[in-house]
Amino acid sequence: MAWYWIVAIVIVALFALLFIVYITNADLKLVEKIYDALIKYHDKKHIETKL
């Protein structure tokens, strides 16, 4: 198989993957899970405030 067919297949596969992520809003769902985990982590930390 010629190298340009491999490049074309990789580009089309990448475009299809990014299109699926865009349609399903998967990127923001991942951001939401990371954000929730960070909130839980920081809420568990004991912070002593000094004035």
Side-chain angles (χ1 to χ4, degrees):
M1 189 183 286
W3 64 271
Y4 51 85
W5 285 111
I6 296 171
V7 172
I9 290 170
V10 169
I11 290 173
V12 168
L14 182 63
F15 180 78
L17 178 67
L18 289 176
F19 183 74
I20 291 170
V21 167
Y22 173 73
I23 291 297
T24 61
N25 203 16
D27 53 342
L28 291 180
K29 290 177 185 175
L30 177 64
V31 169
E32 178 186 11
K33 292 199 182 298
I34 293 171
Y35 186 75
D36 290 342
L38 285 173
I39 287 175
K40 287 180 187 176
Y41 171 74
H42 285 290
D43 284 348
K44 286 193 304 187
K45 289 177 71 173
H46 177 70
I47 299 173
E48 185 176 323
T49 57
K50 295 181 182 178
L51 296 177

